[in-house]
Amino acid sequence: MAAFRPRRQQGFTLTELAVVFVIISLLLATAMYTLSAQTEQRNFEETRRRLEAARELILAFAVVNGRLPCPATATSAGDEAPLGGGACSAPGPYGGWLPARSIGFQVFDAAGYAIDAWGNRIRYAVSSPAVALTGCAGPSTQPHFTNATNLKANGITCQPNDLVVCRSATGITATTCGPATNILTNQSVVVALVFSTGKNGALASGGIDEAANTNGDRVFVWHTPAPVGAANGEFDDQITWITVGELYAKLIAAGLLP
Amino acid sequence: MVQRPGSRRAQRGMALLALLAVAVMVFAYVLVSRLNAASQFVGIDREHNAKVLAQAKRALIGWMAINAAQTDRNPGRLPCPEAVNSIATSSEGVSAPQIALPGPPPVSATPDCATVGRLPWRTLGLDKLLDAASEPLWYVVSPGWRLQNSSTLLNINSDRGGAMAIDGAAAPEVVALIIAPGPAMNVQAATGCVPQAQARAAPAPAMDPLDYIECFDAAAPAPAFSTTGPAASFNDQVLRVTTADLIPALEAAVADRMQREIAPVLRNVYAAPNWGLTGTARVFPYAAPFADPAIAAYKGEGIVPTTQGLLPFNYSLGCPGPPDPRCDPLFVRWSATVPTVTLDGTNVFPCTFTSPSTVECTGTYLALGAIQLRFDGVVNNVAMALRTLDPSRITVQYRSLLLFWASAATTTSGTLRSDGHADIRADATIPGLLGLSYEFLVNADIGVVTDHPLLDASSTGPGSTGWFVRNEWYRLTHYAVSVKNTASNLPNSCAGANCLRIDFPVSTQNNVRSLLVLAGRSINGTARPSATLANYLEFGNNNGDRIYEQNPISRVLTAAKAPFNDRVLVVDSN
C-alpha cells in the first residue's frame, strides 16, 4: 500500500498578488482617467451642441416674430424680458440669460433657464439700442433688433455697432478690443451671442478672459480653452454668435424684410 | 515508454489554437479596416459639415444682401476668397483684396481676388468654421460675381448666372461653392481629377488648393469644379450657392435701394418749379411699351398715351460704338417748327437749323438802351424720355459792328406740352446805345434738353444711380403712371379711380400716381429675356389694368397666389 503524500501547495505568493494588484490599479487608474477625460470632452461637445441649437432657435424665433428676443433676467423664469421685446429689461441686453422658454429651448433647470452640460445657465447678449446703428440708409429708430416694427422700417442697411468678440482680454476696453491684432469680429457684424461659462462657471477660478464675458459690457472674449495658470487665467467658456448677415438672410428668405 | 514527438498523444490542440488566433487576427484586421474606412466619412461628420456649410452659406447671402442694399456700386457681388497674405496672421479670414479691421470693406488695386481660396470667415463675421476634419472651409466664387480690382464693374441682375462648370457640365445656376475639404488624401487619377498626394503643412500664403480640395481646374475657360467623385479621388463635401439661393435676397436688397435711390429721382425728373409746373405738381413720362427688353429690341422710347410698360430709358448722348437701340439722338429732337428770336416782344427773327441738333439765330437791331431777347423753340418727345435742362447749351452773344462778340447772361426754362413735347425758352438782356446798330447771335444745341443723370451708366460715385442702368435693372422693372399724371393732363393729378391702386394682403393703397414693379427672376421656368409680360409679372400685375398687387414673396406653390416674386414700389402718391 502506497503511503499518502499531501499535494503540493500551488497558490500565489504575496509578491505575485502584489504585482497583480499594482497592475490592476494602474489599469483602473488609466481607465478612470480616460473615462474622466472623455466625460469632459462629451460635456464640452454637448455644450457646443446646445449652443448651436440655441443659435438656431433664436433665428427661428426671429423668423416667427420678426425680431430677436431680449435676454431673460434673473426673475423672468426663462422668458425674455420684457415679453414682446423692445428695450430689454435690466440688466440690459448684454448681461442676461438665454430666454429658453421664449425660443423653445428644451434643456432647462427647475427655474426655466437653459443650462449647459455642467448645469450652468447659458447666457445670451443682443445688440443694444443704446448704441447707434451704423450703415442705415433710412431711419434708424431704436431698438432695432428687438423690435419688429423698427426692424422692418429701418431695413437691412442697418448694422449693429456694439457687440464685438476679441481674442483676449488684454488691452480691451468697455467698448472695443483695443489693438487691431486683438479683434476677432468686426464691430458691425455681431447681433447676438450665446455662450456658456464652461465647467468652472466663470466664477472664482476664472481668469480675466472669462471675467470679460460676464462683466455686462459689450466686449466678449473667445479663444480655445486655456488651463489654470495660463497668462490670462483659466478659460473654458464657449461662445457662438449670430451675424447680422445671417439674421437678415433668414428674414429676407421668410419675406419679412426688407 | 518514451513518446515520439508528433505522436497522437503529443497533439495538445496547439495547431487549432494557432489557427484560431490567426482567424481572430484576420477578423480583427478586417473589422478595424472597415471601421476605419467608414469613419473617414461617416454620417456624423457629414452632418457636422452640413451644419457649418449651411451657416457659411447663410452668412454669405446676408453679407451680399446688406452690401447690395447699402452703397455698393456692384450690388450682388460676393466677397473674394480669403486674402492669402492674411493667412497665419492676426487678420486671417479677411476677404481679398486685403482690408483692414474694423470698418467697411474697401478694395485695393491689388488684383488678388482668386476664383478659389479659403472662406473669408472674418469678413462674413463668422467664427473660423472648421469641418469634421478640423480644416477651415474653402470657397469658390464664379467670375462675374467678384471684384477683380477696385475698378471692376460687374453686371449682376436677376437674370445673371455663374460662369462655372460643375461636375463636367456648364452650371450657370451655380455662383459659388463652399467646401469642407475633409482629411488629406492621395488623390487618384479619375475623370476631372489630377493625381495629387495631398500634403498639408502649416497654413501659409503659398498653400496649394490642390492639397485641400480635389478635382478642379480653376484656370479652365469656365472654372471647373466637382461636387462628387470616386472615393479614391474625392472626399470634399460641397455646398452650392445657386441663383435660386442668392437672387431673392439680392432682389429684396435692390428693391429696397430702388425705393430709396431711384424712386425719388424719378419723382423729380419733371417736377415744379421746372417744366412750367407750380406748387407740388409732378409729371411722369410716358412708358415704353413692353417688349422683349433684350438690347436688340428694346428702344426704351415712351409713346403717347402708353402708361404701363418699361421705363423710357432712351438716351441721346454718348452713343457707343456698337449701336445701342436705346441711344437715338433723333428721338428727343428739335421740332420742325422753326425756332425764333423775339426782340423787345415785337421783332421776330426766324432761326435756321445748322444741323439736326443745332439752331442758329442771328439779326441786327437798333436800340437806345438795353432790350430783351427771347428765344423760343420746341423739342419733341421730352415727356417720352427722361431729360433735364442744361441751360449752358443756349448761348446769347451780341456785338456792335465795331467790337468783338460778348456774351449775355441767359435764363433758360422749359414747359411741357400736352402732346409730350416741350417749349424751350431762353431770355437775355442785350445792350443798346444811342440807336447804334448791334448784331445778336443765338446758338441753341439740342443738348439743352439733355439726358437725365438717371440714365448715366458711368456714374460710380457715392450716391450715384449708375448701378441701376449699368446692371440693366431697368429691363426687369415695370413702370406705370396714372394717365392723370402725364403731360396730357397738365396740371391735374389723379384722384380716386384715376389713380393706380396697390392691393396688399390686408390693405389697399388707392392714391398712387406712379409705381415700379421689380419683376424678379423667372419663376415660371421660362427663359429670359422674353417678349411675354406674364413671364415677368405675376397674377394681376400683368393684366394691364390700374390695379397692382403685392402678395407675399413666395415660391410655395400651395399658397393662393404663388409663386410670386414681384416687388411693387410706390414712386409717388397723393
Side-chain angles (χ1 to χ4, degrees), chain B residues 135-506:
Chain B
E135 288 288 351
L137 303 184
W138 284 68
Y139 168 62
V140 174
V141 57
S142 168
W145 291 77
R146 68 178 196 269
L147 291 182
Q148 291 290 97
N149 55 55
S150 61
S151 60
T152 301
L153 293 176
L154 304 177
N155 185 12
I156 298 172
N157 65 31
S158 298
D159 292 344
R160 295 292 179 271
M164 296 192 293
I166 305 296
D167 295 331
E173 76 280 7
V174 178
V175 294
L177 302 171
I178 306 173
I179 302 170
M185 65 182 299
N186 189 9
V187 181
Q188 303 300 307
T191 304
C193 306
V194 177
Q196 172 94 359
Q198 293 183 334
R200 299 179 182 176
M207 279 193 303
D208 183 355
L210 283 169
D211 283 334
Y212 293 83
I213 57 179
E214 296 84 50
C215 305
F216 75 92
D217 181 5
F225 287 84
S226 302
T227 62
T228 185
S233 307
F234 193 87
N235 70 352
D236 297 344
Q237 190 166 336
V238 182
L239 183 64
R240 306 167 194 232
V241 181
T242 67
T243 52
D245 301 320
L246 208 63
I247 294 295
L250 173 61
E251 288 166 354
V254 166
D256 186 60
R257 195 161 167 183
M258 284 171 60
Q259 186 71 73
R260 295 194 322 269
E261 297 182 7
I262 305 301
V265 176
L266 197 57
R267 188 160 56 233
N268 290 311
V269 172
Y270 300 119
N274 300 316
W275 301 104
L277 303 169
T278 58
T280 58
R282 288 192 177 93
V283 170
F284 292 89
Y286 290 99
F290 176 79
D292 184 340
I295 198 165
Y298 170 50
K299 292 176 71 75
E301 295 176 350
I303 293 178
V304 180
T306 304
T307 56
Q308 295 178 332
L310 294 167
L311 282 163
F313 261 39
N314 61 81
Y315 63 102
S316 302
L317 303 177
C319 293
D324 179 356
R326 291 193 305 115
C327 192
D328 183 2
L330 299 180
F331 182 61
V332 176
R333 65 181 189 276
W334 289 111
S335 164
T337 304
V338 176
T340 59
V341 164
T342 304
L343 297 182
D344 256 356
T346 55
N347 298 321
V348 178
F349 296 80
C351 303
T352 56
F353 291 105
T354 54
S355 77
S357 62
T358 57
V359 175
E360 184 177 283
C361 319
T362 61
T364 59
Y365 62 96
L366 304 173
L368 295 174
I371 61 171
Q372 294 301 309
L373 179 148
R374 171 175 165 170
F375 168 86
D376 289 289
V378 178
V379 175
N380 286 354
N381 300 327
V382 174
M384 292 72 148
L386 298 175
R387 295 293 187 269
T388 188
L389 281 176
D390 180 359
S392 69
R393 306 303 285 271
I394 297 182
T395 60
V396 176
Q397 296 174 289
Y398 62 89
R399 68 177 179 181
S400 72
L401 294 178
L402 300 177
L403 298 176
F404 297 107
W405 288 106
S407 296
T410 307
T411 303
T412 304
S413 63
T415 302
L416 288 176
R417 297 164 34 153
S418 60
D419 58 5
H421 305 329
D423 293 322
I424 304 299
R425 171 178 169 174
D427 292 280
T429 300
I430 55 176
L433 182 65
L434 302 175
L436 292 176
S437 178
Y438 279 79
E439 188 177 6
F440 71 84
L441 172 63
V442 177
N443 286 297
D445 187 273
I446 189 61
V448 67
V449 181
T450 190
D451 295 341
H452 191 277
L454 195 57
L455 303 169
D456 183 7
S458 65
S459 63
T460 57
S464 71
T465 56
W467 61 272
F468 183 74
V469 61
R470 189 168 56 244
N471 291 2
E472 298 173 338
W473 285 102
Y474 61 86
R475 293 190 184 188
L476 299 161
T477 303
H478 180 79
Y479 165 67
V481 57
S482 162
V483 68
K484 293 295 184 183
N485 284 91
T486 60
S488 64
N489 283 279
L490 291 168
N492 292 331
S493 184
C494 73
N498 290 325
C499 292
L500 302 174
R501 191 179 101 188
I502 304 173
D503 289 345
F504 298 96
V506 293

Side-chain angles (χ1 to χ4, degrees), chain B residues 111-124:
Chain B
D112 56 355
C113 185
T115 297
V116 57
R118 298 202 306 185
L119 183 77
W121 52 272
R122 189 193 298 266
T123 294
L124 299 179

Side-chain angles (χ1 to χ4, degrees), chain A residues 52 55-56 59 134-135 137-138 156-159 167 180-181 183-187 189 222 239 241 243-246 248-250 252 257-258, chain B residues 51 55 58-59 61-63 65-66 69-70 89-92 101-104 121-127 248-249 252-253 256 260 553 567:
Chain A
E52 293 300 334
R55 191 174 178 285
E56 294 303 315
L59 288 170
T134 183
I156 63 172
T157 58
C158 290
Q159 294 177 256
R167 296 178 190 277
T181 53
I183 298 171
L184 191 58
T185 66
N186 192 318
Q187 201 146 11
V189 295
W222 161 237
I239 295 182
W241 58 86
T243 70
V244 64
E246 290 177 273
Y248 285 166
K250 273 275 188 183
I252 290 171
L257 286 179
Chain B
K51 283 182 179 175
Q55 185 181 355
R58 199 160 54 207
I61 294 172
W63 185 94
I66 292 171
Q70 291 181 331
T89 73
S90 60
S91 296
E92 188 171 284
L101 283 174
W121 52 272
R122 189 193 298 266
T123 294
L124 299 179
L126 295 168
D127 196 0
D256 186 60
R260 295 194 322 269
I553 306 298
R567 296 176 186 272

